Amino acid sequence: MASSTDASSVDKEVRRLYERYQSAESDEERREIALEMGALDGRRHADIYDALEDE
């Protein structure tokens, strides 16, 4: 499974993206940030599935 350091860095990235999303001034900017959030979520899921396969 992912280490707590990895989880902490992901949490920081999620927080950073959320703050950027909240302060975005245009729909286009919010859309770009939402795409980044989706990509991050996809990587998190892939890491979880990889860890489960290794068990």
Side-chain angles (χ1 to χ4, degrees), residues 41-55:
D41 194 42
R43 288 193 309 269
R44 291 173 76 184
H45 284 238
D47 290 345
I48 291 168
Y49 293 133
D50 286 344
L52 290 172
E53 287 180 2
D54 291 341
E55 287 186 355

Side-chain angles (χ1 to χ4, degrees), residues 3-21 33 36-37 40 43-44:
S3 72
S4 61
T5 303
D6 292 341
S8 177
S9 69
V10 169
D11 290 345
K12 288 177 185 177
E13 180 71 5
V14 168
R15 186 176 305 113
R16 185 185 68 78
L17 287 170
Y18 180 76
E19 289 170 357
R20 280 182 51 212
Y21 186 88
I33 296 166
E36 288 181 53
M37 290 175 162
L40 178 62
R43 288 193 309 269
R44 291 173 76 184

Side-chain angles (χ1 to χ4, degrees), residues 20-21 23-33:
R20 280 182 51 212
Y21 186 88
S23 65
E25 296 181 7
S26 69
D27 288 340
E28 180 62 27
E29 190 178 358
R30 280 187 283 279
R31 180 182 173 281
E32 291 297 322
I33 296 166

